[in-house]
Amino acid sequence: MMPYLHMEKNDDELFDEIQRYRKKMYVTAEGYGRGSERTIKESQNLDKLIVEYMRRQAKVS
């Protein structure tokens, strides 16, 4: 799933997606190395999801 589709998810689904992307990024880092282009791309996707989740949490507070 592409990270830009996160707008349709509720907070719990978004949190679960963050956990999946985190695991995916670690697997990619182990396979390709921390500095690889693939790992960096996975990390950027994860960052986007985390930022959206944090924005939502800030609105709730």
Side-chain angles (χ1 to χ4, degrees):
M1 174 172 277
M2 298 302 292
Y4 60 83
L5 296 176
H6 62 269
M7 301 301 281
E8 300 171 4
K9 297 184 177 295
N10 67 36
D11 289 350
D12 291 333
E13 292 171 328
L14 183 57
F15 183 79
D16 291 342
E17 187 172 355
I18 288 169
Q19 298 305 320
R20 283 191 301 275
Y21 264 86
R22 181 175 287 148
K23 290 176 187 175
K24 185 177 179 183
M25 187 194 69
Y26 287 135
V27 168
T28 302
E30 286 180 19
Y32 292 93
R34 289 183 164 260
S36 76
E37 194 172 322
R38 280 188 127 164
T39 302
I40 293 168
K41 185 172 183 167
E42 292 297 332
S43 178
Q44 290 170 341
N45 288 338
L46 177 60
D47 289 346
K48 290 175 190 175
L49 293 172
I50 291 170
V51 167
E52 176 59 28
Y53 184 79
M54 292 173 69
R55 278 189 194 137
R56 290 182 185 190
Q57 295 306 305
K59 287 181 184 178
V60 171
S61 299

